[in-house]
Amino acid sequence: MSHDYIQAAVLLHPSLVTVDDIKEVKAPIAILAAEIDPISPPELIKQLEEILSSKPKVDSFVKIFAGVEHGWTV
């Protein structure tokens, strides 16, 4: 997501995404996460959302879906 050739990204129940990864995001991004997720718990997703909110030039959307587990989109 930090490369210029990526024009937009959507992460569904993200895995192994770090705060440092999100700090490098340049393209519009949506993160759709699960409420029950030991890999990317809601606390981490909220941190990612805060970082994205501090980047006014990057469009972003973050939502945590209640009552679903990691893998809910598969």
Side-chain angles (χ1 to χ4, degrees), residues 7-9 25-30 52 55-62:
Q7 296 181 15
V25 169
K26 297 178 184 176
I29 185 171
L52 290 168
K55 300 169 96 53
K57 293 185 179 183
V58 176
D59 288 332
S60 63
F61 177 79
V62 178

Side-chain angles (χ1 to χ4, degrees), residues 3-74:
H3 300 285
D4 292 333
Y5 58 84
I6 296 176
Q7 296 181 15
V10 177
L11 302 177
L12 305 171
H13 51 78
S15 297
L16 307 175
V17 177
T18 68
V19 167
D20 289 335
D21 293 332
I22 297 302
K23 287 179 180 177
E24 299 298 320
V25 169
K26 297 178 184 176
I29 185 171
I31 300 175
L32 308 177
E35 177 184 35
I36 306 161
D37 191 341
I39 298 170
S40 295
E43 296 79 17
L44 173 62
I45 300 303
K46 290 174 185 174
Q47 280 184 300
L48 304 181
E49 182 177 30
E50 287 176 18
I51 293 165
L52 290 168
S53 294
S54 72
K55 300 169 96 53
K57 293 185 179 183
V58 176
D59 288 332
S60 63
F61 177 79
V62 178
K63 181 170 180 173
I64 299 171
F65 286 81
V68 297
E69 297 181 16
H70 182 91
W72 64 278
T73 62
V74 177

